[in-house]
Amino acid sequence: MEDHGVALERAHTHALAWLVSLGTRPVPASASIEDVVARLGPDLPDGPSDPAEVVDLLAVACEPGLTAMPSGRFFGFVIGGTHPAALAADWLTSAWDQNSGLRRITPAHSAVEDVAERWLVDLLGLPEGSAVGFVTGGTMANFTCLAAGRDAVLREAGWDVAERGLVGGPGVRVLVGAERHDTVDLALRYLGLGAPEPVAVDGEGRIDPTALASALEDGDERPTMVVLQAGNVHSGAFDPFAEAVPLAHEHGAWVHVDGAFGLFAAASGTHRHLVAGFEAADSWATDAHKTLNVPYDCGLAIVRDRAALRASMGMHGDYLIHDEAGEPFDKVPEISRRGRAFPVWAVLRALGRDGVADLVDRLCTHATALAKGIGDIEGAEVLNDVVFTQVCAAFGDDDHTQAVVQAMLDDGTAWMTGSRWHDRAVLRVSVSNWSTSEDDVERSLAALREAAGR
Ligand SMILES: *Cc1c(COP(=O)(O)O)cnc(C)c1O
């Protein structure tokens, strides 16, 4: 126990120092990969070391090479921070070291997973009884949901994938919005379905229901899946679910919604209109490590038909299983996995229903303030309708926009990602950290004004 006590105390001290430093440290890392290797020492030692000393070495060597992703001024990609309750629960998760694949050996995790599943489905206003698989992230959530969908549409066509594989089968056609996230394509590749067929989108990246209708009616009779999106990474826009889902269902398609960061709009009374009609879909993917602010890694694969998910992910293969509860591993690709439900439960318990709504609303309010501030900068142009947490802006031509992105990174006050959208270099801002404050927004805008003026 001595070893544990000292090593954990050191980890606690280093963790707190890191969290305290977030308020003032530059957001980008100051050390390179080579610097960190040199600090750690490149060679595997022959003999053992004291665990506490190893923790010290790791912390000290890595600290300058850490990007302040949990900072309130990190607006890159769609990252999310770590809520204190979720972070602390994640520490316990590691200490408890539960292999949470089987119900009977880990009653505590199974209980927490059951409760968190019910809370999430309720909070998001999804069909009661939907299954939630706790996976590593949005990519695997898309994969898991689309596996259930693939197998279901093929089963409907009289083809059992588990038994016969894909070769020689009727095939599956997948329709996606032209601006779906790349990980949807990746998940489809893992599933042996090849590249999807893109359907036209509007100026905000929302799927065009008329184009979707004509694609569905073009005479291709293969079993079909339609992948819709809640939250475009550039514009934050949501597909028109109320029109698109019934259209797809009229053609017998499985409808999946990729809502890696946007699905949580459903938890806010103010923003729920963005997902109107999404509850009629068959599956939904989201990340807990983005908008919900649990530490990496945690994604949520939500499927209306529990038996369909179990048929695809379970080790029984059989569609009709009589064990009511099922096993946690029946809902995810892995057998052994960490207790991901603990931090999810903790953040939901800490925030409560109103707290989650307030979190979502605050992220959106900050995004609106950032858009307003950017719009006021001479020569800047906000390119999207800011309906959620994402802002896309250009500063004149591509060269100048890229120079502004670089100047922001060099300054270090905040991190915003450079990207391309609609064939244009853009600065992309994503507000996804619970701790972002008005002061963070002001400081970041001041740095951006400065960068744009250079
Ligand atoms: C982030 C994201 C993903 C992928 O999620 P990971 O957690 O990075 O695997 C998928 N879709 C959308 C819309 C995303 O924003």
Side-chain angles (χ1 to χ4, degrees):
M1 283 324 291
E2 189 72 343
D3 281 356
H4 276 128
V6 182
L8 286 175
E9 259 166 40
R10 298 307 302 154
H12 183 226
T13 304
H14 292 301
L16 285 181
W18 160 252
L19 292 171
V20 167
S21 79
L22 294 175
T24 49
R25 70 186 291 133
V27 178
S30 59
S32 67
I33 294 171
E34 294 75 18
D35 294 339
V36 176
V37 170
R39 291 165 70 101
L40 288 166
D43 299 322
L44 176 66
D46 292 327
S49 307
D50 174 54
E53 279 172 26
V54 172
V55 171
D56 282 339
L57 172 62
L58 183 69
V60 172
C62 287
E63 201 265 353
L66 297 171
T67 299
M69 291 187 175
S71 156
R73 282 166 284 106
F74 188 94
F75 302 110
F77 312 100
V78 190
I79 292 288
T82 47
H83 188 276
L87 176 56
D90 199 60
W91 286 7
L92 280 178
T93 304
S94 290
W96 288 339
D97 197 25
Q98 303 286 291
N99 182 333
S100 56
L102 285 163
R103 284 185 86 79
R104 242 145 294 162
I105 13 179
T106 55
H109 188 265
S110 295
V112 169
E113 187 170 303
D114 288 352
V115 172
E117 173 177 81
R118 214 162 21 77
W119 286 1
L120 284 163
V121 168
D122 176 41
L123 187 65
L124 296 170
L126 292 175
E128 204 182 318
S130 296
V132 181
F134 291 74
V135 295
T136 49
T139 308
M140 287 312 287
N142 280 329
F143 167 82
T144 304
C145 292
L146 290 170
R150 178 197 66 179
D151 297 356
V153 295
L154 283 169
R155 193 161 43 239
E156 190 70 19
W159 186 267
D160 179 353
V161 182
E163 190 61 32
R164 307 173 77 179
L166 291 169
V167 178
V172 176
R173 161 183 219 213
V174 186
L175 299 172
V176 297
E179 291 191 22
R180 81 285 183 189
H181 198 267
D182 289 336
T183 58
V184 169
D185 297 46
L186 190 60
L188 294 170
R189 257 166 60 199
Y190 296 163
L191 290 163
L193 297 180
E197 292 173 38
V199 174
V201 294
D202 68 11
E204 296 297 317
R206 291 174 294 228
I207 203 164
D208 172 0
T210 312
L212 177 62
S214 42
L216 286 163
E217 282 155 17
D218 73 357
D220 189 330
E221 293 298 319
R222 284 177 295 167
T224 302
M225 293 201 284
V226 173
V227 180
L228 302 175
Q229 181 166 255
N232 175 297
V233 285
H234 286 105
S235 67
F238 292 68
D239 281 344
F241 303 109
E243 286 175 83
V245 180
L247 260 177
H249 278 163
E250 277 165 33
H251 291 81
W254 176 285
V255 183
H256 172 66
V257 178
D258 174 10
F261 66 93
L263 211 69
F264 282 93
S268 151
T270 320
H271 292 92
R272 190 166 168 90
H273 67 95
L274 293 169
V275 296
F278 86 138
E279 66 283 350
D282 301 288
S283 60
W284 306 263
T286 190
D287 265 319
H289 60 217
K290 289 181 177 171
T291 310
L292 201 55
N293 280 259
V294 310
Y296 285 93
D297 49 21
C298 187
L300 306 167
I302 312 175
V303 178
R304 173 195 295 272
D305 180 350
R306 300 183 83 85
L309 179 58
R310 215 191 286 176
S312 297
M313 292 292 136
M315 279 199 291
H316 318 283
D318 193 358
Y319 187 63
L320 292 169
I321 293 160
H322 303 291
D323 170 7
E324 248 324 292
E327 296 291 357
F329 72 60
D330 286 341
K331 299 189 288 183
V332 296
E334 305 88 358
I335 301 301
S336 300
R337 68 185 157 103
R338 72 191 269 104
R340 292 203 185 90
F342 291 131
V344 170
W345 178 89
V347 74
L348 292 174
R349 179 67 177 76
L351 291 173
R353 197 182 292 279
D354 293 346
V356 178
D358 179 59
L359 164 64
V360 171
D361 293 347
R362 270 187 298 120
L363 301 179
C364 297
T365 301
H366 292 320
T368 305
L370 281 159
K372 164 92 177 55
I374 293 169
D376 288 345
I377 296 173
E378 171 109 27
E381 187 189 349
V382 173
L383 303 174
N384 64 313
D385 289 342
V386 180
V387 295
F388 198 55
T389 55
Q390 311 295 102
V391 183
C392 240
F395 296 79
D397 64 16
D398 285 4
D399 286 346
H400 193 242
T401 300
Q402 278 156 359
V404 173
V405 171
Q406 192 53 51
M408 270 305 276
L409 279 179
D410 294 344
D411 169 80
T413 303
W415 179 304
M416 299 171 180
T417 312
S419 182
R420 281 197 86 73
W421 191 46
H422 297 172
D423 220 15
R424 216 170 156 184
V426 294
L427 175 80
R428 220 192 71 184
V429 180
S430 173
V431 189
S432 44
N433 189 311
W434 69 281
S435 75
T436 297
S437 64
E438 280 171 22
D439 181 55
D440 287 323
V441 169
E442 281 315 312
R443 281 167 67 187
S444 304
L445 280 172
L448 188 56
R449 273 193 291 273
E450 184 80 5
R454 238 175 271 157

